[in-house]
Amino acid sequence: MSRAMRFALLWVAGLAALTFGAAIIVQEQTRAWFERDLSLRANLAVSGARSDLLSSWAADGPRLEAVLGNLAQDERILGASACTTEGLSLARTSAFPAGISCAELIARVRREQPTLASGIWTSNESIPSGNVHIAVLPISEEGVEQGYVVLAQDLSFVARRDAETRLFLLSAFGILAVCASVLTLVASRMSWRDWSEELRRVLRVGGQRKEFQPILSDVRELVDRLMDNEGRAWTPQRLKETLRHKLDGEKVVVLANREPYVHMRAADGTIEVMHPASGLVTALEPILRACSGTWIAHASGTADRETADRQGRLRVPPGAPAEGDGRAARTPNDSYALRRVWLTPEEERGYYYGFANEGLWPLCHIAHARPTFRGEDWLQYRAVNRKFVQRALEEVDSPDPIVLVQDYHFAMAPALIRAALPRANVIMFWHIPWPNAEMFGICPYRNELLEGMLGASILGFHTQLHCNNFLDAVDRFLEARIDRERNAVVHRGRETLVKPYPISVEWPMRQLATVPDARRSRASVFEELGLAEDVRIGVGVDRLDYTKGIEERLLAVERLFERRPEFIGRFTFVQLAAPTRSTIDRYRQLSESVAAIAERINERFASAGWHPLILRREHHEPPTVFRYLRAADLCYVSSLHDGMNLVAKEFVAAREDERGVLVLSQFTGAARELTEALIVNPYNLDEAADALAAALDMPPEEQAARLRSMRSYLAEFNIYGWAGRMLIDAARLRRRDRLIVRLSERIPVAQDAER
Ligand code: F6P
């Protein structure tokens, strides 16, 4: 529920409680007034008839009855009765309630109010025909009590008036509440607008004074963010609205190496769809679904060609209606176009395995693998970047399209797009860390890479630290002006904003809808792995990559058993490791080393029916991954260096049951946001083992409190917000660029006029 909804509900509930309370108080008060009125009326009636009553008191019954009859003439008086001081009945009118006897009444009066002599005793009684007000008044002569007159008055009108008063009050309060709410809303809207306009005016005026400029640019950005956010959560709908309102509803074109759906020919000849293990895919897929653009990717499946058209296009998710089919227009929200690009084996070797994954990947990660830069890989990298850009240009439909370039595979693409379409909105996001300038400087092609990336209008990293590293590299290696206040680089007359946009996950995660809940996931995982019911489990999910710290993770589990032997036989760590880039030696070595460590630890600690480690070196589809995440007592993400790490966020998203503990490496971008995880240095095996033990010892309330906090963070900072914030920044730049174009078009006109 949105914050505004919650506020409105609270407001209405508060008003209802207030109205209800006020109605009760007013009702009590008016009832007291009515009763006092009835007592007064009884007193008046009896004092008026006092002399007749006295003269007929000792006479025969019919005379006294006649006097009582006169008394009961008033329409509200039901009947009257005369009682002796001993409680005997002298006379009563016919309508006096039969169930009320002199004997009982006088006994009660004497008990409750012995000094009645000059007063009145009253009580409300319930009789079969309704409620009556009984008033007992003494009849005295020369100070000697002769007896009592009892008057019974109808109370039903009080109940009627009560109901009318309540209705009136509720309606009056209701109308008042609606008026007050509308007025408050209008007033707050108006003051928000006034306030923001005033602030913008101050910023305009202040902006002309040089000394205010640094601080004003920060304030301006904050104001723009406030205006854009308006406290609303980021949803697919809001992202679409942002595109429609701020970027004229244009479709986005995404350039990302890994395709979201890979078609594979299975051994039995059928075609299967595979979802690759990639944080980038997890993050971008919901964006494309919301914006229905085109994703241009490397065709990597054995059945990719036969499932696409001649240009390599197909509608995804598989099964979505094709473009031109009426159904595609009806379901624009959930489908988009995938354009596959085929690479020759030489291109793939040079661009993907070579330059991207043996050069840039180790260059950008501090994971102690030496980068390899080969001239031929660099040539292929540039050629493949040109090939992808060519496909992107075929997909765009305006002179200033929005192109989202993803990751280290396409460092040259922004400048190539800019050269072809000078007014394009190129947003580049670098999903991996950016090293410090000294480290980056070892790359023989550093200047070309920087210049390629500076073709983007916006360049995003996960953290401010990586932005700073990039700016330092530009400062050191290029002739460019760096505006550190605005986080911008001006190079060859063009400006690039360099900003942090921490990536996130979909919220709520669509894929979780089909995954069994935590209890059933746990049962199925335990059955699958043959685990005893009382065993606790930890889970790790990664591509088999040396940056993920999988060796360190297994060694930390070993250290846990050494430091806390009571967990031997009672804790199992399950590692799901998806093979990746396996033609590269370093990855093959890693796979062998991880298997050897797991085997050694198992030999050391295993006992009948129990293994400390279960290693699954194979691809797992998302439903399986989420089932394991939901089944786990803890999830350990031990990356040695990671831009963000979305597995950590997926674990938090999966735990709707608020159980389980996240143990997270301090060297991930995620550690800056998921601060309620147990943050560890994965190289410090003692510290990591202690964190694993602390996770297993953690009481359920603490697990829930930590997860609740992280979940509410992810609900707010989700993947739609990630894309939305970049698109809003792009829209702002585009507005400015269009203004510059309009102004420059006017200059010749003015010059003509002068001539
Ligand atoms: O984070 C960088 C990244 O590109 C992720 O998108 C993904 O997890 C991985 O690296 C790419 O892996 P692959 O080489 O299998 O596409």
Side-chain angles (χ1 to χ4, degrees), residues 89-195:
S89 173
L90 290 175
R92 56 165 55 200
T93 58
S94 57
F96 190 84
I100 297 181
S101 75
C102 280
E104 273 176 33
L105 207 55
I106 302 307
R108 263 178 78 189
V109 172
R110 290 206 177 288
R111 217 173 32 249
E112 291 171 17
Q113 209 171 321
T115 56
L116 187 62
S118 56
I120 180 171
W121 179 92
T122 58
S123 158
N124 292 339
E125 301 294 321
S126 174
I127 59 167
S129 58
N131 287 345
V132 287
H133 178 266
I134 299 292
V136 178
L137 300 107
I139 298 294
S140 316
E141 189 168 31
E142 292 171 1
V144 181
E145 239 175 43
Q146 304 295 312
Y148 301 97
V149 170
V150 183
L151 289 186
Q153 297 186 72
D154 184 10
L155 264 181
S156 59
F157 82 99
V158 177
R160 267 199 316 278
R161 293 235 173 117
D162 270 355
E164 282 166 13
T165 317
R166 212 168 28 240
L167 184 68
F168 172 76
L169 265 173
L170 287 176
S171 327
F173 266 96
I175 292 170
L176 266 176
V178 171
C179 294
S181 311
V182 171
L183 273 176
T184 316
L185 209 71
V186 172
S188 66
R189 281 249 149 207
M190 282 168 65
S191 59
W192 169 260
R193 195 171 311 149
D194 286 355
W195 177 82

Side-chain angles (χ1 to χ4, degrees), residues 499-547:
K499 288 180 61 173
Y501 300 94
I503 205 164
S504 195
V505 288
E506 190 182 13
W507 193 277
M509 284 194 92
R510 186 178 31 87
Q511 286 173 322
L512 286 174
T514 52
V515 178
D517 63 19
R519 197 180 48 79
R520 285 183 298 139
S521 288
R522 194 173 171 90
S524 73
V525 165
F526 271 53
E527 194 187 325
E528 227 161 79
L529 301 178
L531 296 173
E533 251 176 46
D534 59 345
V535 165
R536 320 276 301 280
I537 64 165
V539 166
V541 181
D542 309 83
R543 286 182 304 106
L544 244 173
D545 194 294
Y546 54 85
T547 60

Side-chain angles (χ1 to χ4, degrees), residues 257-258 276-281 352 357 361 365 407-409 431-432 462 543 548 580-581 642-643:
N257 174 70
R258 186 57 65 198
S278 156
L280 181 148
V281 169
Y352 175 75
N357 287 316
W361 182 266
H365 289 92
D407 229 351
Y408 61 100
H409 308 94
H431 289 254
I432 60 176
H462 292 297
R543 286 182 304 106
K548 303 295 177 186
T580 180
R581 308 171 189 170
D642 217 330

